[in-house]
Amino acid sequence: MGFLHGPLLWLGVAGSIPILIHLFNRQRYKRVRWAAMEWLMAALKKTRRRMQIENLILLLIRVAVLVLLAAALARPFFQSAFAGRLGESNTHAVIVLDVSYSMDYRGPDRGTPLEKARAVAQGILNDLKTTENDRFSLILLTDTPNAAIGEPSSRVDMGREIVSGAVATDQATSIPRTMELVRDALEKSTNLVKKVFVITDNQRHGWTVAEKDRTRVAELFKQVSDMTAPNGGGVYLYDVGGSAVDNIGVVGLEIGPSQKVVSTDNACEFVATVRNHGSMQVTDVVLNIFVDGAKQGSYTLAVPAHDVLRQSFYHTFREPGPHAVTVELEPDALSHDNRRSLAVDVREALKVLMVNGEKGPTMQTDEVMALKAALNPSTDATDKRWVFSITEVLESGFAREDVRRFDLVVLANVETVSPEETAVLEEYVKAGGGLLLFLGDKVESYTWNQSIWRNGDGLIPCELDKPAGYPRNDDAMKFTAVDYTHPALAYFQTAKPTLGRLLVSQYWAVKPFEARPDVRVLASLGVPGADPAPLLVERRMGRGRVILCTTAPDFEWGLMPKVPGFVILFDQISQYLASPPQRFRNITVGESIEYTLKATEFARKFQIITPRQNRAEISPVKAGEHAYHLNFSGTTEAGLYGLERDPQEGETQATLLTWYAVNVDPEEGLVEKMTEQELRTMYPQFRFTYVEQGTGREPEKIAVKAPASNIWKYLVGLILGLLVLETCLAQVFGAKR
């Protein structure tokens, strides 16, 4: 026998109150002989024993009422099958149904884990006593879990309907995120017994978290275990996954490493990555290539076991604008990961705004002339090999330019940047723009630190100190501590001597700064007798990036423009900075579509076209003084999403602004299971009962009824009966006296 609220048993001491009242109210009298009363003594002696018995009966009833009331408040229950028939079920079942795309894996028996999971969930719902106190919650398990029925409910019919209609989504699995919803559901429950049923294929990927999150997740699992432990509750893990792990999927599609942007009339390289999750090599794998929905060709591949194969292909775009590239494998046991798309914005050229802080007649005296030649060496307007279209303005004309028209903004040796210009640049970068900053002899450090550094909250990643190095190019320093893993410098991994020939004479020293996730030193200068001085430092802000170069791109502060490595270095850096919007057009299922409107694109209404050709209307939201954003969070399925602007005055049809490629998480395609022992080792605080359900076609019968029976209502009924009995007896006994 147990008690739900054991401490309330102390209220049972109230049963002594009638006894104390009886003792304190006993008559205190002095015996006095009175002849007239002697004859009454004989009669009293005859009725005395009867009255004592009557008083004792009433006293016992009153004591019993108070003791039973305390017991009822403590909610007693019996944990036995016999006692269970006396009570009623009082269970809250939290049903967690995995609907990630790995649940659609069709094994050798042609069944899927989701089919078994639905049968298990229906069995749990059938066992609930909805006419009494049983309640349930239903949570759909994905990496963005959904509480289909979050509040404790007795609507089993609605639960059955949701379960029977559940289909595998294009989303991945995250059991830790789902457990947060489970904890919320348990906190809302007032039931005696709480049980959690996690019905999943127990995929390894679904349990894995980053090392930094392991402690938080372990504490979450412990909370759920503690909340379900009392009164015979618990967590039940129903593994409905099979033993087969063979699967081939497309896990990557990207622009080739030789280029970062896609331009017209140039053959663009694409690389598709196919992964074989199985233990045997697979041959005759057909990979089909589509561009804007039209098939362009196919490849037949042989993919080694437990390995990946990268297949390159090329396509030349003739028209600028939004385009989509798709690769697709023929169907297999799990088709969700057989298709992958890439949205590309094809440009005739990348538009670059260069703000020249020191205009001069020659390359030796002009601040950006060497940089312009590096980014676009050809003077032939028809030469399509170079992808930069450069607009040059002086520092005084910068405020009149709309930076949103450009893919990259370059400030070269600019003396000051006003607060208004700084605000415009910050909005531009946060929206995905690229900013390249060169320093020089005209830079005024106090103004830069006040407006652009702002104690670490501004655009530049570090605080400026003072110019240093060798004036008049008396000596020079070489690059050192180069981060060749960075995309902008990866080219030099195999061409280190080219970068080693770049010489710098003067630079701006920066004050020491602490490491931050959004700041990365890409390269430094080897200063004789001192620590390396940061030369290229990146700052990530919002969706865009800033690279600060602490030297100048001219001949006054070094000899970099004299060697070919100068052209390669800043071509790679400029392409890297100008390409972030491309990266944000390619997202994972569940991520939001975001778009920053250019000045020429503003309208009141826009349309999102989903892969099923449904349409959703969205409106722009102001985000800052000069920016408007669009946001759409309904990316629940993989495929291509189009963003259209409604027809404006003088237009006859909608304008397609861009494509978004929404792809599945490729890790979900690895259907290898987490074993029970591995799970207990990984999370020792997580207490659960493991039930294997995936080995056969028919799942085992699920018993959900509470092992504990509460009897407090019977006690309340007994108390009421005793009160009625006490009242009746008191009247009967009183009438006889």
Side-chain angles (χ1 to χ4, degrees):
M1 181 175 182
F3 293 90
L4 186 61
H5 306 300
L8 293 180
L9 285 173
W10 285 102
L11 295 177
V13 299
S16 62
I17 294 176
I19 299 175
L20 295 175
I21 294 175
H22 172 72
L23 294 176
F24 285 130
N25 288 334
R26 289 183 64 186
Q27 289 183 344
R28 305 292 182 179
Y29 55 86
K30 184 178 180 180
R31 184 181 296 271
V32 179
R33 293 286 182 180
W34 182 21
M37 296 297 294
E38 288 296 331
W39 66 272
L40 293 175
M41 292 301 296
L44 288 174
K45 287 179 181 180
K46 293 180 181 180
T47 60
R48 180 179 180 183
R49 185 172 182 82
R50 177 177 58 81
M51 294 176 62
Q52 287 177 338
I53 294 175
E54 292 174 349
N55 289 336
L56 180 59
I57 292 173
L58 294 176
L59 178 63
L60 291 176
I61 291 175
R62 291 162 183 166
V63 170
V65 166
L66 294 175
V67 172
L68 291 175
L69 179 60
L73 292 175
R75 301 287 295 274
F77 59 87
F78 292 99
Q79 292 183 323
S80 69
F82 174 76
R85 291 191 290 270
L86 299 177
E88 62 181 23
S89 181
N90 193 336
T91 302
H92 181 204
V94 181
I95 304 171
V96 180
L97 180 64
D98 191 345
V99 292
S100 60
Y101 77 76
S102 63
M103 294 286 286
D104 211 20
Y105 184 90
R106 195 163 293 279
D109 62 357
R110 308 310 298 165
T112 68
L114 184 57
E115 291 171 355
K116 298 183 177 69
R118 285 198 293 256
V120 171
Q122 295 287 14
I124 295 171
L125 291 170
N126 291 338
D127 275 349
L128 292 175
K129 290 185 176 180
T130 55
T131 57
E132 299 180 0
N133 287 333
D134 283 358
R135 297 292 182 269
F136 76 99
S137 300
L138 179 60
I139 297 173
L140 302 181
L141 167 58
T142 64
D143 55 354
T144 55
N146 171 36
I149 301 178
E151 299 291 331
S153 174
S154 60
R155 289 286 310 278
V156 172
D157 55 337
M158 183 170 61
R160 290 197 187 102
E161 183 178 351
I162 294 174
V163 169
S164 62
V167 296
T169 67
D170 285 329
Q171 294 176 275
T173 311
S174 177
I175 292 179
R177 293 179 190 170
T178 305
M179 281 297 177
E180 295 179 358
L181 296 185
V182 171
R183 179 190 57 194
D184 295 342
L186 292 173
E187 288 176 345
K188 298 174 183 177
S189 173
T190 58
N191 289 81
L192 176 68
V193 182
K194 300 178 178 64
K195 291 188 175 185
V196 175
F197 300 90
V198 181
I199 313 169
T200 176
D201 58 357
N202 207 30
Q203 186 197 37
R204 183 180 301 276
H205 170 67
W207 291 97
T208 306
V209 296
E211 190 64 34
K212 62 182 179 65
D213 296 326
R214 184 68 60 83
T215 301
R216 177 185 61 81
V217 171
E219 178 60 28
L220 173 63
F221 286 167
K222 183 178 183 300
Q223 290 176 3
V224 172
S225 299
D226 292 344
M227 295 171 73
T228 56
N231 310 324
V235 178
Y236 299 85
L237 176 60
Y238 286 89
D239 184 351
V240 296
S243 57
V245 295
D246 295 333
N247 180 40
I248 295 180
V250 183
V251 297
L253 177 61
E254 55 193 357
I255 299 173
S258 61
Q259 59 194 89
K260 298 178 178 63
V261 295
V262 182
S263 59
T264 55
D265 300 323
N266 285 319
C268 180
E269 180 188 15
F270 297 91
V271 180
T273 304
V274 180
R275 182 176 181 180
N276 181 1
H277 297 288
S279 57
M280 298 181 62
Q281 175 174 312
V282 181
T283 59
D284 298 329
V285 178
V286 178
L287 179 70
N288 296 309
I289 311 297
F290 301 86
V291 176
D292 296 332
K295 187 175 181 179
Q296 301 295 313
S298 62
Y299 296 86
T300 301
L301 312 175
V303 189
H306 298 301
D307 204 353
V308 297
L309 179 69
R310 292 177 175 84
Q311 178 64 52
S312 297
F313 59 94
Y314 294 83
H315 185 79
T316 301
F317 294 94
R318 300 303 179 186
E319 297 292 333
H323 294 271
V325 179
T326 300
V327 296
E328 185 174 11
L329 298 173
E330 294 184 348
D332 61 0
L334 183 63
S335 297
H336 291 258
D337 61 350
N338 287 5
R339 181 183 179 93
R340 201 163 188 88
S341 298
L342 180 70
V344 292
D345 287 332
V346 180
R347 312 288 184 88
E348 291 183 342
L350 291 175
K351 296 181 180 180
V352 180
L353 174 64
M354 288 191 180
V355 183
N356 191 343
E358 188 176 8
K359 186 69 175 176
T362 66
M363 190 174 291
Q364 281 69 25
T365 58
D366 190 276
E367 202 65 45
V368 300
M369 192 174 293
L371 185 63
K372 287 171 60 179
L375 297 185
N376 198 347
S378 176
T379 58
D380 184 0
T382 63
D383 191 345
K384 297 293 186 178
R385 292 176 298 166
W386 314 105
V387 297
F388 294 102
S389 173
I390 300 171
T391 299
E392 179 186 348
V393 297
L394 298 178
E395 182 177 349
S396 59
F398 175 42
R400 294 191 293 271
E401 294 292 335
D402 182 2
V403 297
R404 293 174 295 178
R405 297 190 301 112
F406 299 93
D407 303 296
L408 173 64
V409 175
V410 180
L411 303 186
N413 198 13
V414 172
E415 181 178 357
T416 61
V417 181
S418 69
E420 293 76 17
E421 293 169 340
T422 300
V424 170
L425 285 174
E426 287 184 358
E427 289 182 3
Y428 166 75
V429 173
K430 289 178 180 178
L435 179 63
L436 178 58
L437 303 173
F438 289 98
L439 302 180
D441 56 354
K442 291 187 63 179
V443 168
E444 209 288 308
S445 61
Y446 176 82
T447 304
W448 273 62
N449 288 335
Q450 288 295 311
S451 62
I452 304 185
W453 158 246
R454 291 207 321 276
N455 293 320
D457 295 330
L459 285 165
I460 59 175
C462 47
E463 185 177 8
L464 304 185
D465 190 2
K466 58 184 178 181
Y470 306 99
R472 299 178 300 278
N473 294 336
D474 291 340
D475 204 344
M477 296 159 284
K478 294 184 178 181
F479 280 52
T480 188
V482 178
D483 184 358
Y484 294 107
T485 64
H486 192 276
L489 302 178
Y491 172 87
F492 296 99
Q493 178 68 46
T494 57
K496 295 179 182 178
T498 303
L499 197 62
R501 297 188 185 99
L502 297 175
L503 301 177
V504 175
S505 296
Q506 295 184 75
Y507 66 95
W508 268 88
V510 299
K511 295 183 179 180
F513 56 94
E514 297 180 358
R516 292 165 43 180
D518 59 337
V519 174
R520 184 175 179 180
V521 178
L522 309 185
S524 299
L525 287 174
V527 180
D531 294 334
L535 176 65
L536 296 172
V537 189
E538 180 185 34
R539 166 80 194 278
R540 292 181 178 270
M541 178 177 283
R543 294 171 26 180
R545 295 166 284 200
V546 180
I547 289 183
L548 172 68
C549 180
T550 57
T551 190
D554 59 14
F555 287 89
E556 292 184 342
W557 278 37
L559 304 176
M560 286 197 301
K562 286 189 174 182
V563 297
F566 178 81
V567 175
I568 300 173
L569 174 63
F570 288 105
D571 176 78
Q572 292 290 305
I573 289 177
S574 298
Q575 288 195 48
Y576 166 76
L577 288 174
S579 63
Q582 197 103 283
R583 178 163 52 91
F584 289 99
R585 301 290 187 267
N586 298 279
I587 58 178
T588 303
V589 173
E591 292 187 276
S592 295
I593 288 175
E594 297 180 356
Y595 188 83
T596 300
L597 293 171
K598 298 178 181 178
T600 57
E601 296 174 338
F602 183 82
R604 293 187 179 277
K605 297 294 181 183
F606 295 82
Q607 302 277 340
I608 289 288
I609 307 171
T610 70
R612 298 181 185 272
Q613 299 304 305
N614 297 321
R615 289 178 174 268
E617 187 177 277
I618 55 176
S619 301
V621 177
K622 192 169 185 180
E625 187 66 25
H626 306 279
Y628 283 87
H629 289 177
L630 298 174
N631 185 282
F632 176 75
S633 58
T635 58
T636 56
E637 58 183 321
L640 291 170
Y641 290 72
L643 174 61
E644 280 189 352
R645 183 187 65 182
D646 285 357
Q648 303 299 293
E649 185 177 353
E651 297 178 345
T652 58
Q653 59 184 8
T655 301
L656 177 65
L657 297 182
T658 190
W659 288 108
Y660 284 82
V662 180
N663 294 301
V664 300
D665 183 348
E667 293 300 321
E668 184 72 13
L670 178 59
V671 293
E672 181 182 355
K673 292 166 60 171
M674 178 80 77
T675 67
E676 177 186 0
Q677 186 56 46
E678 287 177 323
L679 190 55
R680 294 190 188 279
T681 302
M682 181 180 294
Y683 299 110
Q685 307 90 339
F686 189 33
R687 302 185 298 277
F688 63 92
T689 300
Y690 178 79
V691 183
E692 174 64 64
Q693 294 280 278
T695 54
R697 287 296 301 270
E698 295 297 329
E700 298 176 11
K701 174 65 177 174
I702 309 301
V704 190
K705 298 177 182 178
S709 299
N710 63 83
I711 57 173
W712 66 273
K713 290 186 177 181
Y714 297 104
L715 294 180
V716 172
L718 181 57
I719 291 170
L720 293 176
L722 289 176
L723 289 174
V724 172
L725 178 61
E726 190 271 346
T727 302
C728 295
L729 290 178
Q731 291 179 350
V732 171
F733 295 159
K736 295 179 180 180
R737 299 178 183 179

